[in-house]
Amino acid sequence: MMLTTKAPWADLDLPSLVDQARELTDQFFPREILFAAPSQKYYDTGGYRNERRAFRTISVTGQACALRCEHCGTKVLDGMMPARVPGALAEIGAALVDEGARGVLISGGCLDDGSVPLDRFLEDIGRLKEKGLKVLVHTGLVRREIARGLKAAGVDQILLDIIGDDRTIREVYHLDRTTEAYRESLRILREEGLSAIPHVVVGLHFGEILGEWEALRMIREEGASQLVIVALQPLPGTGMAGVRSVSGDEVGKVLAAARIMMPDMPISLGCARPAGPEKRSMERWALRVGVQSIAYPLPETVAYAEQLGIRIRYHEQCCSVLN
């Protein structure tokens, strides 16, 4: 099906759009920000350095993924700890607790239906919660029985990408589904009482702005606990290695539109962002819009937040963990 891809805010002046968003932010949120530095990546601003042990990411499929999406090609799985069989996940979790970990993200590659194969690991996930870990789970498209199992296991957050254009689903994810499947996943998570944290990837369609507006609209209509905005990061060795990076202004417009559409929803600028001057621009717009967290901010972004009089907090977990 063809969806409306022209966002009503697409042609609006960015500074005025951001000013509208800031006014709404100030109505619903204190003037403070969390700077998140998850342990899987070294981070040191000179004023803060992560300890590299508080939060880890685990893949239940190792490096395997049936979809081999154009923007990832399994590269994102390379840095995750593998736990491919039941029992291994609980063992890894116990070892991480002994090392001082406070949380984990459980992820993995997808099956050909767009879901992460979590059914065999639900008991292990429950054991991680019993150890006192904060547990975040990346599900991909989710079936109701899996959602119920994750709820019973006590998971803290469910992370999933929301895609707003059928062409992107086919051409980037190589998946024979429609946007309705992503809407249904959000609906299932809400109905089963789980904390859903949708992610919108700006520029996911080979660097083009295509389904972002529709994705935000679905999230507004179905509801979510928080929203994470990330930007396409062209990775070497993937089908998008040579595509253009999205601009800071494009990300700024999506952030501002998200705030205007969902004034009281916490918004984060997540860790996936291209390096270079556009990253700096994205982070400055995020501060001006008034997001609640930014992952791995540049030192100059920290200085800009101080200049704006924003109270700063740090932690070593995912940006969606706000407390």
Side-chain angles (χ1 to χ4, degrees):
M1 110 180 126
M2 292 294 292
L3 297 171
T4 301
T5 59
K6 182 70 168 180
W9 39 267
D11 296 326
L12 295 180
D13 174 70
L14 179 55
S16 63
L17 192 69
V18 168
D19 287 344
Q20 292 178 49
R22 181 78 239 186
E23 289 181 10
L24 291 168
T25 297
D26 289 339
Q27 292 179 33
F28 290 95
F29 297 96
R31 191 166 279 254
E32 66 178 30
I33 192 161
L34 168 70
F35 289 146
S39 307
Q40 58 263 32
K41 176 180 174 182
Y42 177 73
Y43 179 76
D44 186 355
T45 66
Y48 175 84
R49 182 175 62 188
N50 61 359
E51 299 175 354
R52 305 298 304 279
R53 65 185 184 191
F55 192 87
R56 302 298 295 272
T57 303
I58 303 169
S59 170
V60 297
T61 66
Q63 294 177 309
C65 177
L67 299 182
R68 300 188 68 84
C69 302
E70 293 294 320
H71 68 305
C72 171
T74 76
K75 298 297 182 184
V76 174
L77 300 173
D78 290 349
M80 299 183 187
M81 303 177 69
R84 289 183 288 266
V85 296
L89 183 58
E91 291 177 7
I92 290 172
L96 291 176
V97 169
D98 290 341
E99 295 172 6
R102 295 187 290 275
V104 293
L105 169 61
I106 299 167
S107 186
C110 287
L111 302 174
D112 58 10
D113 65 356
S115 69
V116 177
L118 296 164
D119 49 337
R120 298 186 303 151
F121 298 91
L122 295 172
E123 186 175 339
D124 277 12
I125 292 171
R127 289 176 181 165
L128 297 184
K129 285 301 302 175
E130 291 171 1
K131 291 283 187 181
L133 288 169
K134 188 176 289 290
V135 178
L136 285 57
V137 180
H138 170 233
T139 60
L141 294 175
V142 65
R143 304 190 309 276
R144 191 170 296 275
E145 59 268 28
I146 296 299
R148 288 175 176 167
L150 292 170
K151 178 66 175 179
V155 301
D156 296 279
Q157 294 180 348
I158 304 295
L159 314 183
L160 73 164
D161 291 346
I162 296 298
I163 306 174
D165 192 277
D166 292 349
R167 289 165 289 179
T168 305
I169 297 170
R170 292 192 305 269
E171 296 172 22
V172 175
Y173 274 53
H174 308 149
L175 187 60
D176 187 22
R177 302 296 292 272
T178 68
T179 59
E180 184 57 33
Y182 291 87
R183 181 188 289 275
E184 183 183 13
S185 287
L186 268 181
R187 185 181 305 132
I188 287 170
L189 294 171
R190 172 173 48 80
E191 290 174 350
E192 297 302 327
L194 287 152
S195 177
I197 317 291
H199 288 49
V200 174
V201 185
V202 182
L204 179 60
H205 195 88
F206 301 93
E208 297 179 30
I209 304 301
L210 188 60
E212 289 80 354
W213 155 246
E214 181 67 18
L216 292 178
R217 191 170 70 85
M218 286 194 291
I219 293 164
R220 180 185 63 186
E221 292 175 356
E222 295 300 331
S225 297
Q226 299 173 42
L227 170 65
V228 177
I229 302 295
V230 295
L232 177 69
Q233 186 175 8
L235 298 175
T238 70
M240 293 197 192
V243 305
R244 77 171 187 99
S245 295
V246 295
S247 71
D249 286 2
E250 287 170 322
V251 172
K253 277 197 173 182
V254 174
L255 287 166
R259 171 60 72 228
I260 292 168
M261 293 172 70
M262 295 167 276
D264 61 348
M265 183 177 291
I267 299 174
S268 300
L269 180 61
C271 56
R273 303 193 297 281
E278 295 303 328
K279 179 178 181 180
R280 176 178 177 272
S281 173
M282 293 171 195
E283 295 178 4
R284 290 176 73 89
W285 286 124
L287 288 176
R288 289 184 57 181
V289 165
V291 301
Q292 280 55 67
S293 69
I294 299 177
Y296 303 117
L298 296 165
E300 50 263 48
T301 301
V302 176
Y304 188 51
E306 294 171 343
Q307 178 185 332
L308 295 175
I310 300 172
R311 188 173 76 87
I312 295 171
R313 297 185 294 125
Y314 291 92
H315 74 30
E316 199 174 331
Q317 301 189 66
C318 274
C319 66
S320 62
V321 179
L322 297 179
N323 49 42

